[in-house]
Amino acid sequence: MVMTMYSTLKSGEELSMSNIEQRLDGNICRCTGYRPILDACKSLASDSTVVDHVCKNAHELPAHDPAKDPPFPEFLGKVSRGGAFSCAGEDGSQWVRATTLGGVFEALAANPEPGAVKLIVGNTCHGIYKEDPARVFVDLQYVHELTAVHSDADGVTVGAAASITSLHRALKAAVAEKPERACTLEALAKHVLRVANVHVRNAGSVGGNLAMAKTRGFLSDLSTILLGIDAQVTLASANGMRTVTMEEFLAEPVFAPGEIAYSIRVPFDSPRTTFLTYKAALRAQNSHAYVNAAIKTRAAEDGTVEACRVAVGGVMRDDAAGSHALLAGETAAALVGQKPSKEALAAALAAAHRELCVDAANHDAAYRKTLLCGFIYKHVVALMGEGAPAAALSASRDVTQRAPSRGSQSFTTTDEHGIVAQAVPKISAGVQATGEARFTDDIALHANALFGIPVLASIGRGKLLRVDASAALAVRGVVAFVSAADIERLGGKNNCSAMGQTHTVLVSDVVSYHSQPIGVIVAESERIGRRAAKLVKAEYDTEGKTVVKTIDEALAEPELFGTPIANEHVVGDTAAAFSRDGVRTVEGEVRMGEQKHFYMEPQVAYAVPDEDGAITMYFPNQWPDAAQSGVAMALGLPMHKVNVVHRRGGGGFGGKLTHAIGNAAMAAVCAVTVARPVRMALDRNTDMRVAGGREEMQAKYKAAFKEDGTIVAFEGEGILNAGWLVDLTWFTSMAFANAMNEAYGFENMRCSSKVVLSNMPARTVVRGPGEIEASYLVETVIEHVAHATGLTPEEVRERNFYRDMDAKLPNGNPIAPYTIRTLWEQLQEKAKAQEKRAAVEDFNRSNRWKKRGLACTPVRYEVGVWQKNALVNIYGTDGTVLVTHSGSEIGQGLNTKVAQAAAYALGKALGVSKGIPLSKIRFGDIQTNVTPNGTFTGGSTGSEGTAAAVMRCCDTLTERMKPVVEELRAKKESEGDDQPVTWEELCAACKAANVNLSAQDHWSSTGPDALHYQNYGVALSMIELDVITGEVNVLCSNLLYDCGKSLNPAIDIGQCEGAFLMGVGHFLRERMLYSEEGEALSDGTWEYKPPGVRDVPEEFTVELLHDAKFERGILSSKSSGEPPLVLSTSVMMAVRHAIREARREVGSTEFFSLPVPCTPADIVKAAGVDHSQFTLE
């Protein structure tokens, strides 16, 4: 993001907040929820309204001064930018840099076999199509004719090797220079900004994009919109050039031998031409289309359509040779000769319904067809303008085109504990922003280091009969193929579970899920290893084995896929309550899908054999003790011979608790087998195939209620899909049952959860395990009761909050201090809930095809503070402090909070309330040979437990230092020196007096230290829904959260924002697709869509409850990492409300269920949208 912003500053483009937000469309951030990063970037905008919470100066940040920018690196300026060049790769491949067309044609002629040559500019297609048969790669960037861009009186011409960004700039320039002739290009330019992201648009070429559409069936936005505007393509070969229409270009699935795309011509049109483009996608930015369309109409003076051209993409089979964007001739003809009207619309829709038959093999085929008809409707409404019915006018507006996000953050600080509770910037922010922070993959490898590449099973269920790695071992540079047999040979166990389960490192017999590792290729380079891994052949027995993927399928085979894990809590007598007179009941079912952790740093491990058979393991993890135990078990080593080292992780969210251990164990086995260091870094695709995420859930519910909305009985019965191994799903199940009533004090309830297995990757805990599932379940119950009684959901929620402040939860733990009612009442006022609700109702009455929803939901989230170990060393020479502990820094700011706590605690030695300077404190790497037996970092309390352990060490040290400081003060007083004793003087004196300046201690999760408590918060969210496309824009989210006395409010607010947006992703974006065999199809960013910049609510306010008191807490604080995730349920309920309003338009008033994630396709289906509804009545 830093480099994206830097390139924005250097681009010469308008430096507005809107433009900056647009430029960040290709960046993904899982931790922060984007807001702080956006604010940092927007602070440089000409129209910035950003508030600096660290300096506390509102909009007084210095303006960007280009003169102060760092100079372009001199060594990069010396890199050759021209001249023909070629070189050969270690695998026989060849790289050719061409500088002339002749050079390109020579390379093609020398390698005439189909697919042998790949013409590249940015090679961005590799992000989609990983397999590439080409052996000769020809770089076109230096062929001037292919990158030239120019315009004339009739249109714009761009070279095929020109970047997509160059196309956009040329279109914008033409619009500015010839506004009348180039009027149609404005929409074209606007749509180009929805192609991929700024990084791809800068690197990828126009011709490359069209070539993918032509030869691979790629669902290209560019091919559709250029087809719609009637662009032409010039093709070139050694024999000359020829120009074809875009339709002719796409019709042939291959290029003629020796022929390449030379340029693309975009024509100007008459001022009476209207050209509009359409796209619906899973995410507003950086997401491929479900379908797209471009419609061009030319009108006569009286408004009659003289000519029409309708281009559509996404109809033919995805990614199939011969598939491409189409012209819908019959649909276009239906509009010609008529003025835009309900009759013309009806004719066009009838034609579209007949001719646009979406291939049934495509995902969401029915939805796609509805979308295409919807695009026709949107276009006719746009043509009619004010002549269209008032309620229909909003149909043509695109909800994805929105204002830049804005918001505010509010908190109070206290000096009670000195620097603790202050908004101190994250101490590693500087090195992370500059790229100097070192992660595991940045460790300099030993000269003899090798690389491990896992070989994955190609079936989802069966037996591994034999593996033939001979072809792989014959590849030059391959050192070994490591299998389960090597684990046995080493005397280890084929198991890396620290929880008494059997987590096989490498398959020896039974294949439990698709892509389970069956071996590892160890090679001298990663590239050699990847190529060799594809040559390993495996034979399987799958006869009679059906791959079990879903909960329903697992329930059908309980003897194989059932587990004994079950959790249940009972309060009162639900059976008696259900039979009471005067109560009514509702019942239903909810289902939630998987969510991936999608940490920024995939699993990586570096294993270094040491003397005496020991080994050092470098890898990011959230559970040092389990990591050490798992590796030791796999190698058959005692614990003291395994040292696990971890400095920081690039995100975790639970994914580096147990999932990290399997990859590390593979690396360790490989390293010991070959007696050399081995690095195993999974690429994103492999990581997403091997490791499961959040468990799929389905639950049935039943509730009895009074007419005033009081729920007198609630029963919830949930089932979780653990995948092939229980792993930590037992914890999710426990949390699910514990949280099922959320913040509601139901008089009678039975909350239960059980676990099933399946032939899927092992699921595990993901941020907020079991809690977001419980929230969605119980809030659906609240909504169902509100629907049945005619009350608002907010009224039902208020009726059912706990009233007895001394009440206990179903698991027996106290609810106190229960701040939900305070939070709820304050948020209603602060967020102006009543005004917003009235505005939503007015909006919905006036708009048929855009609907808004508003919802306010609470969270109750129980946490426990787990054991943490710490070692604090003070260096007497200069008073610096080295802190080593067992808490994993994975981006959440743990070390910053701990540093604040340590500074405060050490300051007690001098009686200084503000503590010692933070600059004196540094953190050592987690090492199991320094701080052994470290438990996991998770459950949102890692910072608290670590801070407590470190403060205990500091208290021990300050107690030892007391006599020395008293002596120093007495000495100064006797010498007439009225200056206070400095920290440096004290440390030096302690060293001289042989005071032990090293202390070790821990925080225990049992006994008198045991600390369990409830977290509370509320959120109000408002969304706008495009009923035709199912796309959702979050208009506002207001969060009010009780963080006690925050250890660091800046960090805690960031955690609130990041957790909340991760929840939004789970509810609306992050869909996983699998094949029948259980192979992950959403194994990368192409199909899996975490939230992007434009998923941040347009108005996003977060406030920490003022004057919050939590005396039992560590320094009176509460956790923040996970509970706010659950508040994203407010967005999902707001979506439900908008869908409800859409359903009412077609007379549907019954209660309905919604799946999670609730994608645009799911929303349109739930809203009951059908092409027959697209009328102008």
Side-chain angles (χ1 to χ4, degrees):
M1 284 185 171
V2 172
M3 293 311 299
T4 300
M5 190 60 210
Y6 182 72
S7 68
T8 301
L9 292 172
K10 291 299 186 182
S11 68
E13 297 179 10
E14 177 192 8
L15 205 61
S16 66
M17 292 197 295
S18 180
N19 186 44
I20 288 171
E21 192 161 295
Q22 171 66 51
R23 295 273 297 188
L24 291 168
D25 63 353
N27 295 97
I28 296 174
C29 181
R30 196 55 139 171
C31 294
T32 69
Y34 297 101
R35 195 277 310 163
I37 296 173
L38 287 172
D39 275 4
C41 294
K42 290 175 182 176
S43 70
L44 299 171
S46 57
D47 57 347
S48 175
T49 57
V50 170
V51 174
D52 186 334
H53 287 286
V54 176
C55 299
K56 298 183 180 177
N57 295 324
H59 195 39
E60 293 180 7
L61 298 172
H64 170 242
D65 183 358
K68 295 182 180 179
D69 285 352
F72 190 81
E74 184 179 350
F75 77 94
L76 287 177
K78 294 179 180 179
V79 173
S80 173
R81 297 287 175 178
F85 171 80
S86 67
C87 63
E90 58 192 8
D91 58 355
S93 60
Q94 185 180 12
W95 179 275
V96 177
R97 179 202 288 164
T99 57
T100 65
L101 277 176
V104 178
F105 298 143
E106 286 176 12
L108 291 170
N111 302 275
E113 303 89 353
V117 177
K118 183 178 183 180
L119 305 179
I120 64 172
V121 177
N123 200 28
T124 54
C125 83
H126 185 71
I128 308 168
Y129 304 109
K130 308 297 185 185
E131 303 297 326
D132 203 326
R135 65 173 187 271
V136 179
F137 301 87
V138 181
D139 182 2
L140 305 179
Q141 293 182 79
Y142 302 98
V143 182
H144 174 72
E145 300 97 315
L146 296 178
T147 59
V149 177
H150 69 272
S151 66
D152 54 33
D154 299 314
V156 174
T157 302
V158 295
S163 70
I164 298 171
T165 294
S166 296
L167 170 63
H168 179 258
R169 289 173 179 164
L171 296 173
K172 294 293 288 183
V175 172
E177 294 169 8
K178 305 177 180 69
E180 292 188 2
R181 294 297 316 281
C183 58
T184 56
L185 302 194
E186 182 68 40
L188 193 69
K190 190 174 181 180
H191 196 119
V192 168
L193 290 180
R194 291 198 68 185
V195 174
N197 58 63
V198 68
H199 313 296
V200 172
R201 294 192 298 270
N202 285 345
S205 66
V206 177
N209 186 287
L210 296 180
M212 288 194 295
K214 176 184 179 71
T215 63
R216 294 181 179 267
F218 172 61
L219 208 173
S220 159
D221 278 355
L222 279 186
S223 69
T224 300
I225 62 179
L226 291 174
L227 177 62
I229 208 164
D230 200 14
Q232 294 180 319
V233 180
T234 296
L235 303 167
S237 69
N239 298 322
M241 297 188 185
R242 65 189 180 100
T243 299
V244 298
T245 65
M246 183 61 66
E247 184 178 17
E248 292 168 334
F249 172 78
L250 294 172
E252 291 296 327
V254 295
F255 284 92
E259 195 168 58
I260 66 171
Y262 178 81
S263 65
I264 295 89
R265 175 76 169 174
V266 182
F268 292 158
D269 282 290
S270 75
R272 291 185 285 105
T273 302
T274 299
F275 178 72
L276 297 173
T277 67
Y278 304 91
K279 174 179 181 175
L282 187 54
R283 190 173 59 197
Q285 292 175 302
N286 195 20
S287 182
H288 67 79
Y290 286 105
V291 291
N292 47 36
I295 306 175
K296 183 166 74 169
T297 53
R298 188 179 71 247
E301 293 290 346
D302 65 353
T304 301
V305 176
E306 293 181 329
C308 181
R309 188 177 179 89
V310 178
V312 297
V315 174
M316 303 175 79
R317 182 167 299 191
D318 293 344
D319 297 315
S323 294
H324 54 80
L326 302 168
L327 285 177
E330 188 180 343
T331 304
L335 291 173
V336 174
Q338 302 187 67
K339 292 180 181 180
S341 62
K342 63 180 182 181
E343 293 78 16
L345 172 64
L349 287 174
H353 192 66
R354 287 193 301 271
E355 72 173 329
L356 300 179
C357 298
V358 178
D359 194 295
N362 290 338
H363 292 292
D364 305 307
Y367 165 64
R368 294 192 194 196
K369 185 158 187 172
T370 300
L371 270 179
L372 292 170
C373 292
F375 291 160
I376 302 296
Y377 179 73
K378 283 172 172 278
H379 193 78
V380 172
V381 170
L383 290 177
M384 294 179 71
E386 295 301 320
L393 284 175
S394 64
S396 59
R397 181 165 54 81
D398 185 352
V399 297
T400 68
Q401 302 301 306
R402 46 170 257 183
S405 59
R406 63 192 184 281
S408 63
Q409 303 78 41
S410 177
F411 54 85
T412 55
T413 59
T414 171
D415 295 328
E416 181 183 355
H417 298 120
I419 196 169
V420 176
Q422 303 304 310
V424 175
K426 186 177 175 182
I427 58 177
S428 62
V431 292
Q432 288 187 257
T434 59
E436 297 170 282
R438 293 189 178 183
F439 293 82
T440 299
D441 217 20
D442 297 316
I443 295 173
L445 303 184
H446 293 73
N448 65 338
L450 299 170
F451 300 82
I453 304 297
V455 178
L456 308 180
S458 59
I459 63 167
R461 183 183 181 187
K463 287 191 174 182
L464 177 66
L465 300 179
R466 62 188 61 86
V467 178
D468 181 2
S470 57
L473 291 169
V475 175
R476 182 179 178 182
V478 171
V479 176
F481 172 73
V482 176
S483 68
D486 292 288
I487 298 175
E488 184 178 350
R489 181 181 59 78
L490 294 173
K493 292 183 179 180
N494 193 6
N495 185 11
C496 60
S497 173
M499 297 182 293
Q501 302 176 23
T502 302
H503 184 169
T504 55
V505 180
L506 296 168
V507 172
S508 60
D509 181 20
V510 177
V511 175
S512 299
Y513 68 96
H514 195 287
S515 300
Q516 189 173 10
I518 62 173
V520 182
I521 288 290
V522 182
E524 293 177 355
S525 76
E526 207 165 49
R527 184 174 181 181
I528 291 173
R530 294 190 191 287
R531 184 160 57 93
K534 296 174 184 177
L535 300 176
V536 176
K537 298 178 181 178
E539 293 183 28
Y540 307 94
D541 177 10
T542 61
E543 188 174 351
K545 300 291 192 300
T546 301
V547 178
V548 171
K549 302 186 293 297
T550 68
I551 291 174
D552 289 332
E553 291 168 345
L555 291 174
E557 296 187 57
E559 68 284 355
L560 293 176
F561 295 97
T563 75
I565 297 172
N567 303 87
E568 185 174 68
H569 298 292
V570 177
V571 174
D573 186 342
T574 56
F578 278 118
S579 62
R580 286 185 196 173
D581 293 334
V583 301
R584 291 198 287 149
T585 63
V586 293
E587 53 187 300
E589 183 178 52
V590 297
R591 294 180 181 241
M592 299 182 79
E594 180 185 9
Q595 182 183 30
K596 291 291 189 179
H597 301 89
F598 209 89
Y599 25 66
M600 293 297 96
E601 173 197 39
Q603 303 289 1
V604 57
Y606 184 42
V608 182
D610 205 344
E611 61 185 33
D612 193 29
I615 191 168
T616 300
M617 299 295 306
Y618 301 89
F619 68 103
N621 69 86
Q622 296 177 243
W623 195 352
D625 183 59
Q628 181 186 22
S629 176
V631 171
M633 186 186 305
L635 295 177
L637 292 177
M639 292 283 279
H640 72 292
K641 286 194 174 185
V642 177
N643 183 26
V644 173
V645 183
H646 161 71
R647 176 172 296 181
R648 61 171 59 87
F653 315 109
K656 290 172 182 170
L657 280 161
T658 56
H659 280 1
I661 302 172
N663 186 61
M666 285 191 285
V669 170
C670 291
V672 174
T673 298
V674 300
R676 290 168 65 177
V678 172
R679 168 186 174 273
M680 283 197 67
L682 303 185
D683 59 44
R684 177 68 65 187
N685 304 100
T686 303
D687 187 289
M688 293 187 72
R689 285 168 175 260
V690 170
R694 193 184 302 277
E695 300 88 349
E696 295 93 338
M697 178 276 284
Q698 64 187 54
K700 293 180 179 179
Y701 65 82
K702 184 178 180 181
F705 57 93
K706 299 177 183 178
E707 287 305 314
D708 68 353
T710 301
I711 295 174
V712 298
F714 163 68
E715 290 184 346
E717 182 180 341
I719 307 174
L720 299 169
N721 182 351
W724 75 280
L725 179 72
V726 169
D727 195 69
L728 288 169
T729 298
W730 63 266
F731 180 89
T732 304
S733 179
M734 178 183 69
F736 186 25
N738 285 347
M740 206 170 279
N741 69 312
E742 271 296 322
Y744 304 111
F746 303 136
E747 180 183 346
N748 303 281
M749 57 182 130
R750 183 173 63 83
C751 309
S752 66
S753 173
K754 67 179 183 179
V755 176
V756 297
L757 300 176
S758 65
N759 295 126
M760 301 298 279
R763 275 65 174 128
T764 190
V765 292
V766 179
R767 196 178 203 170
E771 305 280 347
I772 196 168
E773 295 90 338
S775 175
Y776 185 54
L777 170 60
V778 76
E779 296 301 344
T780 300
V781 172
I782 294 288
E783 296 282 334
H784 203 159
V785 170
H787 178 271
T789 59
L791 298 169
T792 68
E794 284 67 33
E795 288 174 316
V796 177
R797 290 185 176 102
E798 290 178 17
R799 292 270 200 286
N800 289 284
F801 288 149
Y802 277 98
R803 297 185 180 278
D804 179 2
M805 297 302 100
D806 295 320
K808 293 188 182 301
L809 295 163
N811 64 4
N813 289 333
I815 65 168
Y818 184 75
T819 55
I820 280 292
R821 289 188 177 276
T822 298
L823 291 162
W824 184 269
E825 290 167 5
Q826 286 190 19
L827 186 67
Q828 299 301 307
E829 180 180 349
K830 290 173 182 288
K832 299 180 179 179
Q834 287 298 99
E835 293 178 27
K836 287 179 179 176
R837 190 167 289 111
V840 166
E841 291 172 357
D842 287 344
F843 181 90
N844 288 337
R845 278 192 293 268
S846 304
N847 293 274
R848 170 66 179 91
W849 297 108
K850 295 291 187 297
K851 295 295 181 184
R852 290 183 177 178
L854 181 79
C856 190
T857 61
V859 60
R860 172 191 64 81
Y861 195 113
E862 182 171 322
V863 298
V865 182
W866 304 100
Q867 176 193 328
K868 288 293 178 288
N869 306 328
L871 170 66
V872 177
N873 296 321
I874 300 174
Y875 296 93
T877 302
D878 60 3
T880 54
V881 180
L882 181 68
V883 177
T884 307
H885 55 69
S886 59
S888 296
E889 172 61 78
I890 47 178
Q892 80 278 44
L894 180 147
N895 281 345
T896 303
K897 290 183 175 181
V898 172
Q900 290 174 266
Y904 162 70
L906 291 173
K908 294 177 184 177
L910 297 170
V912 180
S913 62
K914 67 179 181 180
I916 69 171
L918 283 180
S919 59
K920 290 288 185 181
I921 300 172
R922 187 177 186 274
F923 290 87
D925 297 345
I926 290 177
Q927 297 192 60
T928 53
N929 64 1
V930 176
T931 51
N933 309 312
T935 57
F936 60 86
T937 297
S940 298
T941 59
S943 298
E944 295 165 66
T946 307
V950 168
M951 285 193 295
R952 285 185 169 177
C953 295
C954 294
D955 289 344
T956 298
L957 292 168
T958 57
E959 191 66 28
R960 293 173 187 167
M961 299 169 92
K962 274 184 179 180
V964 179
V965 75
E966 290 171 1
E967 289 178 12
L968 286 174
R969 284 172 177 159
K971 181 180 179 184
K972 284 196 173 220
E973 184 177 349
S974 67
E975 296 174 350
D977 185 349
D978 60 357
Q979 294 298 311
V981 176
T982 67
W983 173 252
E984 290 79 6
E985 289 173 336
L986 174 59
C987 293
C990 287
K991 179 182 179 182
N994 288 319
V995 174
N996 182 2
L997 294 178
S998 180
Q1000 186 276 337
D1001 212 321
H1002 78 296
W1003 170 272
S1004 175
S1005 57
T1006 59
D1009 283 347
L1011 177 59
H1012 288 261
Y1013 62 87
Q1014 310 301 318
N1015 295 275
Y1016 298 106
V1018 293
L1020 180 144
S1021 293
M1022 180 168 65
I1023 66 95
E1024 184 173 334
L1025 165 67
D1026 187 322
V1027 179
I1028 294 173
T1029 66
E1031 293 168 305
V1032 171
N1033 178 35
V1034 184
L1035 296 172
C1036 74
S1037 289
N1038 303 82
L1039 277 62
L1040 182 56
Y1041 183 68
D1042 179 358
C1043 206
K1045 292 180 181 177
S1046 167
L1047 294 177
N1048 185 318
I1051 287 176
D1052 284 331
I1053 279 184
Q1055 287 288 291
C1056 288
E1057 292 167 332
F1060 181 82
L1061 203 63
M1062 187 170 178
V1064 172
H1066 184 34
F1067 278 121
L1068 299 179
R1069 303 281 180 257
E1070 300 176 47
R1071 176 180 69 169
M1072 279 298 296
L1073 299 173
Y1074 291 92
S1075 71
E1076 287 299 313
E1077 192 64 33
E1079 178 182 8
L1081 304 178
S1082 307
D1083 63 347
T1085 56
W1086 182 247
E1087 286 291 353
Y1088 193 77
K1089 301 297 180 184
V1093 165
R1094 289 210 172 154
D1095 288 306
V1096 177
E1098 281 193 46
E1099 180 187 331
F1100 195 15
T1101 66
V1102 181
E1103 181 176 348
L1104 302 183
L1105 181 65
H1106 295 188
D1107 301 321
K1109 292 180 173 60
F1110 182 52
E1111 302 305 329
R1112 291 193 300 118
I1114 294 170
L1115 295 176
S1116 301
S1117 70
K1118 283 189 169 187
S1119 63
S1120 63
E1122 294 175 288
L1125 173 102
V1126 180
L1127 293 176
S1128 61
T1129 305
S1130 63
V1131 171
M1132 187 61 188
M1133 295 301 112
V1135 170
R1136 165 178 285 283
H1137 298 167
I1139 294 173
R1140 179 193 64 201
E1141 295 305 307
R1143 289 165 63 92
R1144 285 177 177 172
E1145 295 280 1
V1146 294
S1148 181
T1149 58
E1150 69 275 10
F1151 192 74
F1152 55 96
S1153 61
L1154 288 174
V1156 172
C1158 195
T1159 66
D1162 297 318
I1163 290 172
V1164 167
K1165 181 179 179 181
V1169 178
D1170 181 83
H1171 75 281
S1172 63
Q1173 298 165 10
F1174 299 144
T1175 68
L1176 296 172
E1177 299 296 338

